[in-house]
Amino acid sequence: MNNAFIQFTQDILQAGHISAHRITLPCENWDWLDLGLRLEILQLDDLTTSANNWIKGFLPQTVYHSTDEFQCNYTIMLLPNNEEYLICGPVLFEQIKTERFEELFRNLDLPEELRNELQDYYLRVPFVSSQSMYENFFTILAKHLYGPNQFKVVYTDTNELDDWYQVHKNYLRIPEEPFMGIRMIEERYELENELLTAVANCNETRAVELGSRWAYITLPHRLPNTLRDHKDYVIAMNTLMRKTAEQSGVHPIHIDSFSNSNVQNIEQITSLEQFHSSCSKIARGYCRLIREHNLKTYSLLTRKAITYIDTDLRADLSLKSLSEQLSVNPNYLSTLFKKEIGIPLTDYVNHCRIKQAQRLLLGTDMPIKSVALQCGIPNITYFSRLFKRITGMTPKVYRETATYEDRQELSKSPPHRPSNPL
């Protein structure tokens, strides 16, 4: 049965002009491996030793997706008989067109005389438009071969196969600019520090400008997959900004939510253009996060109380409930909160709920009753009375008469906490 699944896989891939071979080690003929790239175009020595060593390192019950320096992708599996390997590829998950080719050729530091041959090579490598569908194909095969939950998927590179490349890169450095790399790294670190300072100061304009500049600086080539390399850099920057937000007094619950959403969005990036725009967007977001949730000047107890309120306005936010959650005496919490914030805790909660109601009234088409429920006030009569007491008008009139300036002013203030609760 396993042979049938494997043969079916080979037939499907070869129908799409994707190479799929079953081999045993040691293999003496590797001419087919990369469609002649290394032997014919780069004119390297025989691949027998390096290729056998490369494949030898792959473990049983594992699907390996491996990317080389040329952005070509291979899938390797040691089959259940533990003697044969299934090797599929190369395939491309991006079309190497003019601009992308120039970027790759520049990063690879190859001699100019190889330009045309490498361009022709990329036209011969099969292009798969959906990387996830391609990888899921092998996941399904692995389930049949090894059993559900009996295997793992590993993403790796072709270091063992391409040891030659590190030597090649050293030979092709620019002799008259031997310390260019040092200056580039110094400039990048200086820019990063400026960016973090702008974020800490909530200087949104400056942070967006520096984020845009950071996105376009030349980054060291650390991984064969350039897009993956860039994603990792912006994830690292996201981490630095996350720590900046924490040092600025933002509670981790707000930081974690925003940081995780950033990572999810980064992983959805499919082009360098999207990468460039994401850097400024993340910097802007952290500026707003710090401006909206900076509680550094308050005591720890007050910060915790405000965080509970910010987290869920629909919860029981009475003085009694919050005191129980924080394990403190209600009178002590009430006195401390009013001393630091300037108004009683109950009034603060009411202002936060009405501020959120204003946002929902202007930003959604939700019925007023639903807005009240979303803000933690199930009694519509009490909600309308409280809304009018704080804003001077009923929810219905507010929604109908709000001006552009009202919307702008609302957008500048924190999402729940009133900018001037008095």
Side-chain angles (χ1 to χ4, degrees):
M1 181 63 70
N2 283 347
N3 281 333
F5 282 126
I6 297 168
Q7 186 59 55
F8 176 75
T9 298
Q10 288 182 279
D11 291 343
I12 289 292
L13 292 172
Q14 288 170 354
H17 307 289
I18 298 173
S19 172
H21 288 78
R22 292 170 68 171
I23 67 155
T24 58
L25 297 181
C27 178
E28 300 301 327
N29 179 15
W30 292 92
D31 294 352
W32 48 270
L33 178 64
D34 56 6
L35 306 182
L37 172 62
R38 289 165 179 79
L39 291 177
E40 297 174 13
I41 297 177
L42 301 178
Q43 296 185 348
L44 299 178
D45 294 334
D46 184 24
L47 292 177
T48 302
T49 300
S50 58
N52 278 296
N53 289 338
W54 176 51
I55 298 300
K56 194 185 301 181
F58 295 128
L59 301 174
Q61 293 181 270
T62 308
V63 180
Y64 289 90
H65 296 294
S66 190
T67 307
D68 69 11
E69 298 281 354
F70 299 88
Q71 303 307 297
C72 294
N73 301 274
Y74 301 83
T75 301
I76 304 97
M77 302 168 62
L78 177 58
L79 299 177
N81 60 21
N82 286 335
E83 295 179 356
E84 290 183 296
Y85 293 84
L86 177 65
I87 304 176
C88 306
V91 298
L92 293 170
F93 296 134
E94 58 175 326
Q95 292 180 307
I96 311 299
K97 296 185 178 179
T98 305
E99 290 184 6
R100 181 67 174 117
F101 175 81
E102 292 301 326
E103 179 188 17
L104 279 175
F105 194 78
R106 184 168 58 251
N107 289 337
L108 288 165
D109 287 333
L110 293 173
E112 184 63 30
E113 55 266 27
L114 294 180
R115 175 185 293 274
N116 292 337
E117 289 185 85
L118 189 60
Q119 281 182 311
D120 292 340
Y121 173 76
Y122 280 123
L123 294 176
R124 291 191 285 120
V125 179
F127 165 66
V128 176
S129 59
S130 175
Q131 179 177 352
S132 61
M133 184 178 296
Y134 173 86
E135 293 175 354
N136 287 339
F137 180 75
F138 288 98
T139 300
I140 294 170
L141 173 63
K143 287 180 181 178
H144 286 292
L145 295 181
Y146 308 125
N149 303 318
Q150 298 300 311
F151 66 95
K152 60 182 179 179
V153 178
V154 174
Y155 295 84
T156 184
D157 53 39
T158 59
N159 283 344
E160 188 74 34
L161 181 64
D162 285 330
D163 281 345
W164 62 272
Y165 186 66
Q166 297 305 318
V167 176
H168 163 79
K169 287 173 68 174
N170 288 334
Y171 278 125
L172 291 180
R173 79 187 201 287
I174 304 174
E176 61 272 21
E177 293 284 354
F179 303 116
M180 181 182 293
I182 295 177
R183 289 199 299 274
M184 288 171 59
I185 290 175
E186 289 175 343
E187 290 172 4
R188 177 164 59 88
Y189 272 65
E190 182 180 350
L191 183 59
E192 288 174 358
N193 289 331
E194 290 182 28
L195 175 55
L196 294 176
T197 299
V199 168
N201 293 330
C202 300
N203 188 337
E204 193 171 317
T205 301
R206 180 66 172 159
V208 169
E209 174 199 347
L210 292 169
S212 178
R213 283 173 52 193
W214 183 87
Y216 280 94
I217 63 176
T218 303
L219 298 174
H221 189 63
R222 299 191 303 186
L223 298 174
N225 187 320
T226 300
L227 187 58
R228 179 70 264 169
D229 216 2
H230 281 69
K231 286 183 180 181
D232 288 346
Y233 269 106
V234 75
I235 287 174
M237 178 55 71
N238 177 65
T239 301
L240 291 175
M241 292 187 191
R242 184 180 70 187
K243 300 306 293 183
T244 298
E246 182 183 16
Q247 293 164 4
S248 298
V250 180
H251 192 281
I253 193 170
H254 302 304
I255 301 171
D256 203 56
S257 175
F258 183 65
S259 175
N260 289 344
S261 68
N262 286 337
V263 173
Q264 292 173 6
N265 292 334
I266 291 166
E267 289 301 332
Q268 300 301 315
I269 291 174
T270 58
S271 68
L272 292 180
E273 289 75 19
Q274 292 175 356
F275 160 78
H276 292 149
S277 64
S278 70
C279 297
S280 294
K281 184 177 179 181
I282 290 173
R284 180 190 302 115
Y286 273 107
C287 285
R288 295 179 180 180
L289 184 74
I290 294 172
R291 185 171 62 247
E292 293 166 359
H293 298 289
N294 179 2
L295 306 176
K296 198 170 184 178
T297 58
Y298 301 131
S299 66
L300 179 61
L301 183 58
T302 298
R303 294 206 304 262
K304 286 185 175 181
I306 291 176
T307 299
Y308 273 90
I309 296 167
D310 281 353
T311 300
D312 188 358
L313 289 172
R314 293 169 295 181
D316 182 357
L317 300 176
S318 64
L319 176 61
K320 179 177 181 296
S321 175
L322 286 172
S323 298
E324 290 174 353
Q325 292 287 342
L326 297 170
S327 302
V328 295
N329 181 279
N331 291 332
Y332 176 72
L333 176 60
S334 177
T335 301
L336 179 65
F337 194 92
K338 183 175 181 180
K339 177 183 177 182
E340 294 192 356
I341 302 301
I343 59 174
L345 186 147
T346 300
D347 288 353
Y348 179 88
V349 170
N350 286 336
H351 277 85
C352 288
R353 284 173 165 160
I354 297 307
K355 178 67 71 173
Q356 179 67 355
Q358 289 176 284
R359 290 179 178 278
L360 294 175
L361 287 169
L362 299 188
T364 74
D365 294 325
M366 292 172 59
I368 293 176
K369 184 175 182 179
S370 298
V371 169
L373 288 172
Q374 285 292 317
C375 297
I377 309 176
N379 187 316
I380 185 64
T381 302
Y382 175 68
F383 170 73
S384 296
R385 189 165 62 248
L386 181 64
F387 191 96
K388 185 174 183 179
R389 177 163 64 84
I390 291 176
T391 67
M393 62 187 78
T394 65
K396 183 175 185 296
V397 172
Y398 178 81
R399 173 176 266 174
E400 292 174 349
T401 61
T403 64
Y404 173 79
E405 287 73 19
D406 293 330
R407 296 173 188 271
Q408 289 295 103
E409 184 63 29
L410 197 61
S411 69
K412 294 176 184 177
S413 60
H416 302 324
R417 281 180 282 119
S419 55
N420 182 9
L422 297 176

